[in-house]
Structures are given as structure tokens and as C-alpha cells.
Amino acid sequence: VLSARLRSDPGADVVLAGRRVEGLAGAIGLDVTDRLAVDAAIARVQPDLVFHAAGSFSGDFDADLAVNAWSSRHLLDAMLAH
């Protein structure tokens, strides 16, 4: 709902990123658990604002930790760097 609302604003330049964005105009495929990929995406897009809505509740502690915690750290580090 949030992405649809933002993308409908003619004054907003919205780039969606995620694992399941194939076929969406202006979207980029991104694994938020990949620190280098996140850094490269932030460097390329140079966003002013990021909404981090990735989340995992699979029951696999390591996988959930990577998506729910480490991906946030990757985004913060990339935003500070760029």
C-alpha cells in the first residue's frame, strides 16, 4: 500500500528494491542481506529517504536475523557512506 501511494505521487521519484520486484517499472532486484549489494544500490540511487519494509518470520533464526537485523545495519551503513 505504501509503495503504491508513493508511486502515484507525480512529484515523487520512487525506486522499489527487493527480491520480488520483477516486472515493476523502475524497480531493482536487491537482496538486503548482501551488504555489498545494498551499498552498491544506495550509491547508485542516492536516495533522500528509505523505507525499509523487509521482514522475515520463517522460524530459521539465522535467516530471520539476517533479514530483520543485519539488513537494517547494511542500509544504515550505506546511507551514512553515501
Side-chain angles (χ1 to χ4, degrees):
V1 173
L2 175 61
S3 65
R5 173 80 186 242
L6 291 171
R7 290 170 68 96
S8 71
D9 182 343
D13 184 17
V14 178
V15 176
L16 298 178
R19 291 184 182 174
R20 299 183 185 118
V21 295
E22 299 85 20
L24 294 175
I28 56 173
L30 179 65
D31 177 356
V32 294
T33 66
D34 181 338
R35 180 182 58 82
L36 295 176
V38 170
D39 187 73
I42 294 297
R44 183 173 63 245
V45 174
Q46 294 287 306
D48 295 319
L49 182 64
V50 172
F51 290 93
H52 176 28
S56 176
F57 303 96
S58 69
D60 177 333
F61 178 80
D62 292 331
D64 292 345
L65 181 67
V67 172
N68 299 331
W70 292 121
S71 64
S72 298
R73 175 65 188 259
H74 300 333
L75 281 166
L76 289 171
D77 287 346
M79 289 295 289
L80 289 171
H82 302 286

